[in-house]
Amino acid sequence: MALFARLRLQFTHLRHHINFSTSPLSSKSKTRATLSLLKSETNPEKILEICRSASLTPYAHIDRITLSVAIDKLAKSNNFSYIDDLLTDLRTSRPDLRTVRFAAHSIILYGQAGMLDHAIRLFKEYHEKNQNDAVLTSGSVKLLNALLFSCILAKKHDEVKRVFVDFSQRYKIEPNLETFNTVIQSFCESGSSSSCYSVLNEMDTKGVKPNETTFGHLFAGFYSEEKYEDVGTVSKMIEEDYGINAGIGVYNIRIHSLCKLKRAKEAKVLLEGCLSKGIEPNGVTYSHLILGFCMEGDMEEAKRLFMSMENRGCQPAYSCYATLVYFLGKVGDFESAYWVCKESMGKKMVPNISTMKILVQGLASSGELDKAKELIGEVKGRFSKNIELWNEVEAGLPQ
């Protein structure tokens, strides 16, 4: 009863912010209230009760997030039996969840929790039923793909090849593009990118054409292993062998990979290549590059890219603003950091308190006390979070 009282309080609070007090709460609003409860709950039995009471489904994005949060909290507190109880209960007690789709989602959640043995058990259960025509008539490849991804989430990359080979043969499952892409992803994330060539050969044999996702994984893997000759091979292969015109998504992966290796100048050359081909960069492109140059200490280039980004109509994300404010503050360019921060706050995006603390203390120590107090006053006036911490910061400034 206490749980339902808490849910009602959450729903009442939400209703207060809806224009019409008589408006019924949408399922999304109810799920947000559930998510809020889960984030503050530590008792595993109450976490299960909250999830069971919320009528979550895998069909709504926010519901999937909520269920994932619950599984993550239970796994981090080593309450693995509760995870199995929750997923088993949902599958067996609710007719709307006795589906291949929810079974696939459960397999993935088991992987997220590191419970790969349970994921495999559920996969086998469904296929044994299928052999008796009890449940499955199709969709087994969906469960295979879920199990492969579950292996990745559980960081059991050695299991991916076994599951792919043994289970597809044993249960007569024909792999599709998603299957092959997941296997390639695993090889690339586990330092075995060269093994992907044999997967590409098998795809050719089966008439499955790779797509941009395939090559995105390949680029990320070969860059991570610093196999630049293979990067060149894949670059040639994508256009000449498969006739794929790589879009900005593939270029973003390449740019990000180079920036992580502190090769931001080479990443910028890729950006220039995009522009010459008429491929428009997006906010993600610039965010990767700006972080890359910041990590290498080239703040002037980072600022130029930020200006270029805005001139091209790309809207900076929170991470882009936060990155610039942090690194500009670290190198003592408090004036530039101040203006970037002001723009960010004007869009209701405030860098975290540790970054802001560097900025306001830096402004104060460089003779810009008024600007420091202005930022603190704006944060306190518009955002109620961490007011006590901000009071402490303000009290520590020179008077």
Side-chain angles (χ1 to χ4, degrees):
M1 293 300 292
L3 170 68
F4 291 109
R6 290 171 67 195
L7 281 170
R8 278 196 297 271
L9 284 173
Q10 291 280 348
F11 295 161
T12 301
H13 176 72
L14 283 166
R15 186 174 283 117
H16 177 71
H17 295 282
I18 298 175
N19 289 334
F20 301 100
S21 60
T22 56
S23 298
L25 279 171
S26 66
S27 59
K28 185 178 289 189
S29 296
K30 292 177 181 177
T31 303
R32 284 179 179 146
T34 300
L35 184 57
S36 178
L37 282 176
L38 283 174
K39 286 180 177 179
S40 60
E41 187 56 73
T42 58
N43 186 311
E45 292 184 359
K46 289 184 179 178
I47 289 174
L48 260 63
E49 191 179 351
I50 290 168
C51 289
R52 286 166 176 158
S53 302
S55 300
L56 301 173
T57 80
Y59 310 113
H61 179 64
I62 191 170
D63 284 28
R64 292 195 297 274
I65 291 174
T66 302
L67 196 52
S68 179
V69 167
I71 297 299
D72 193 49
K73 287 179 74 76
L74 291 169
K76 285 180 177 178
S77 58
N78 295 319
N79 286 296
F80 299 107
S81 63
Y82 285 92
I83 293 172
D84 192 36
D85 288 346
L86 173 61
L87 294 179
T88 300
D89 180 60
L90 289 174
R91 288 196 313 276
T92 57
S93 66
R94 286 178 49 183
D96 62 315
L97 298 184
R98 294 172 191 166
T99 62
V100 171
R101 181 169 180 174
F102 188 69
H105 192 59
S106 296
I107 286 171
I108 290 171
L109 290 172
Y110 279 131
Q112 177 188 325
M115 301 169 66
L116 188 58
D117 55 335
H118 288 70
I120 292 172
R121 183 190 68 193
L122 179 56
F123 176 91
K124 289 181 176 179
E125 283 178 5
Y126 264 76
H127 284 84
E128 288 165 4
K129 290 178 181 179
N130 183 47
Q131 291 169 358
N132 298 324
D133 294 324
V135 173
L136 291 178
T137 56
S138 63
S140 55
V141 71
K142 187 178 186 69
L143 295 182
L144 176 64
N145 294 343
L147 184 56
L148 290 169
F149 188 57
S150 182
C151 293
I152 293 176
L153 291 175
K155 302 189 185 306
K156 299 287 186 181
H157 293 284
D158 55 328
E159 283 289 282
V160 169
K161 185 175 181 180
R162 183 185 74 83
V163 167
F164 173 62
V165 174
D166 292 354
F167 286 20
S168 59
Q169 291 178 354
R170 186 188 311 175
Y171 299 107
K172 297 181 174 59
I173 301 170
E174 192 64 35
N176 61 14
L177 177 58
E178 183 182 345
T179 315
F180 288 115
N181 280 347
T182 307
V183 173
I184 286 173
Q185 178 185 352
S186 176
F187 282 142
C188 291
E189 290 184 4
S190 59
S192 304
S193 299
S194 296
S195 299
C196 296
Y197 288 124
S198 63
V199 181
L200 288 172
N201 289 335
E202 185 173 349
M203 293 173 73
D204 290 340
T205 301
K206 293 183 177 294
V208 179
K209 183 179 178 180
N211 61 3
E212 290 194 37
T213 300
T214 316
F215 290 104
H217 291 320
L218 289 168
F219 278 125
F222 285 127
Y223 274 120
S224 177
E225 296 171 39
E226 299 188 60
K227 294 181 176 179
Y228 300 111
E229 186 175 335
D230 288 289
V231 169
T233 299
V234 173
S235 298
K236 184 178 179 181
M237 183 188 300
I238 190 173
E239 294 183 4
E240 296 184 9
D241 295 351
Y242 294 100
I244 296 174
N245 295 317
I248 193 59
V250 172
Y251 278 99
N252 283 345
I253 290 170
R254 298 187 65 182
I255 286 169
H256 187 215
S257 297
L258 283 167
C259 288
K260 287 195 295 184
L261 293 167
K262 295 193 174 182
R263 300 176 74 141
K265 289 181 179 178
E266 292 176 50
K268 190 184 175 187
V269 171
L270 282 180
L271 168 64
E272 292 164 354
C274 287
L275 295 172
S276 68
K277 293 179 180 180
I279 301 171
E280 281 295 318
N282 56 25
V284 174
T285 317
Y286 284 103
S287 290
H288 290 328
L289 283 165
I290 288 168
L291 177 59
F293 280 104
C294 285
M295 292 288 289
E296 294 181 40
D298 192 344
M299 298 309 303
E300 291 305 312
E301 184 60 40
K303 288 192 287 185
R304 280 193 292 271
L305 283 164
F306 183 73
M307 294 296 295
S308 174
M309 174 186 192
E310 297 198 307
N311 289 338
R312 297 190 71 87
C314 292
Q315 294 299 315
Y318 167 81
S319 59
C320 188
Y321 284 118
T323 294
L324 268 178
V325 173
Y326 174 78
F327 282 98
L328 287 168
K330 291 291 283 185
V331 299
D333 188 354
F334 301 114
E335 182 68 15
S336 296
Y338 167 79
W339 289 111
V340 173
C341 184
K342 286 285 288 183
E343 182 179 321
S344 175
M345 291 172 65
K347 297 177 181 178
K348 298 183 178 181
M349 293 185 282
V350 182
N352 64 45
I353 191 164
S354 59
T355 298
M356 290 292 291
K357 189 174 179 180
I358 292 171
L359 174 55
V360 297
Q361 290 179 339
L363 286 168
S365 64
S366 59
E368 297 285 359
L369 182 60
D370 289 344
K371 287 182 178 178
K373 289 185 175 182
E374 174 198 339
L375 288 179
I376 292 175
E378 189 170 344
V379 171
K380 289 168 61 177
R382 295 175 58 185
F383 308 99
S384 59
K385 189 176 180 181
N386 295 327
I387 282 185
E388 291 185 3
L389 289 174
W390 279 115
N391 288 335
E392 291 179 14
V393 172
E394 188 173 23
L397 296 179
Q399 300 300 316

